[in-house]
C-alpha cells in the first residue's frame, strides 16, 4: 500500500521549518495512534491523554469518529473500501497535525497492518507512536458499552471487528497496553512514559 500523489503537483516549501514550530510551541509534533478492538478503551484513553497533555502544557488534539465521520469523512460509509479511505484520510490529517507541531491522538480500530503502516509512512520524520490497546476480546465483550458485541453476536452488525471481521495485531507497536484490571489513569501513565521514551516529551 503506497501513498498516491496527484499529477502535476509539486511541493511548495514554506519559510518555517519543524524546528521553528517546535521552538514556538515548546514541543515536538507527533502522532499517537491508538488501535485495538471495539471497547478496548481507545477513546477513553485518547481523551484522558489529551486532558493530561493539555494540563501539562502540551498542545494535543484527539481525532476520532465523532469529529471525523461528521465532517471530513461524512461521505464515507462502512464498506471495506470506505473504511480503508476513512483510515487513509485520518492518517494524512494526523500527519498534517504533527507537522504543524501538535500531538495528534487518533482513536480508531484501524484493524489492518498495511493501513497503519501507511499512516506511519505519511507521518514522515515526526514520531509515530503506535499504541496497541490490547484488551482481551472477552473483556471488551463484557464491557460492551454500546451493546454492539451483543448485536454482532446476534448477527445484526455485519463485519464487526473481533466477531465477524479480523483484527491484525501490531507486530512491533511502541506500546502494548492491556487495560484489563487497570484504571484509566494507570493506562495514561503508561502512554505518557512511552511518549517520554520515544522523544515526544522531554526525558522525565
Ligand atoms: P473504544 O474506543 O476502544 O471502542 P471506549 O473507550 O469507547 O473503547 O470504551 C471502553 C470502555 O471500557 C469504557 O466504558 C471505559 O469506561 C471502560 N474501561 C474500563 N477500564 C478501562 C481502562 N483501564 N482504560 C480504558 N477504558 C476502560
Amino acid at each position: 500500500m503506497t501513498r498516491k500523489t496527484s499529477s502535476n503537483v509539486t511541493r511548495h516549501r514554506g519559510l518555517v521549518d519543524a524546528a521553528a514550530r517546535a521552538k514556538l510551541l515548546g514541543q515536538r509534533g507527533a502522532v499517537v495512534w491508538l488501535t485495538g478492538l471495539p471497547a478496548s478503551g481507545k477513546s477513553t484513553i485518547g481523551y484522558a491523554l489529551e486532558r493530561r497533555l493539555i494540563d501539562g502544557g502540551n498542545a494535543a488534539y484527539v481525532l476520532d469518529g465523532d469529529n471525523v465521520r461528521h465532517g471530513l469523512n461524512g461521505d464515507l460509509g462502512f464498506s471495506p473500501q470506505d473504511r480503508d479511505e476513512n483510515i487513509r484520510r485520518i492518517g494524512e490529517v494526523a500527519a498534517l497535525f504533527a507537522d504543524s507541531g501538535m500531538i495528534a491522538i487518533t482513536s480508531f480500530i484501524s484493524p489492518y497492518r498495511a493501513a497503519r503502516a501507511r499512516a506511519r509512512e505519511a507521518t514522515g520524520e515526526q514520531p509515530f507512536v503506535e499504541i496497541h490497546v490490547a484488551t482481551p476480546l472477552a473483556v471488551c465483550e463484557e464491557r460492551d458499552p454500546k451493546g454492539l458485541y451483543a448485536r454482532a453476536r446476534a448477527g445484526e452488525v455485519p463485519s464487526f471487528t473481533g466477531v465477524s471481521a479480523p483484527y491484525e495485531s501490531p507486530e512491533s507497536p511502541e506500546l502494548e497496553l492491556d487495560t484489563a484490571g487497570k484504571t484509566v489513569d494507570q493506562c495514561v501513565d503508561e502512554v505518557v512514559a512511552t511518549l517520554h521514551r520515544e522523544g515526544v516529551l522531554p526525558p522525565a
Side-chain angles (χ1 to χ4, degrees), residues 140-193:
C140 297
E141 195 154 357
E142 198 179 286
R143 288 178 180 167
D144 205 12
K146 298 174 191 157
L148 287 172
Y149 279 96
R151 289 186 52 211
R153 291 286 178 203
E156 291 169 18
V157 188
S159 302
F160 190 75
T161 305
V163 174
S164 48
Y167 177 78
E168 297 175 357
S169 291
E171 277 163 345
S172 48
E174 276 69 19
L175 176 67
E176 184 94 8
L177 176 58
D178 180 352
T179 69
K182 291 178 192 157
T183 65
V184 175
D185 249 17
Q186 286 171 327
C187 294
V188 173
D189 287 346
E190 287 190 43
V191 177
V192 169

Side-chain angles (χ1 to χ4, degrees), residues 37-45 107 143 145 179 182-184 187:
L37 292 171
S40 56
K42 301 177 297 297
S43 293
T44 305
I45 292 167
S107 166
R143 288 178 180 167
T179 69
K182 291 178 192 157
T183 65
V184 175
C187 294

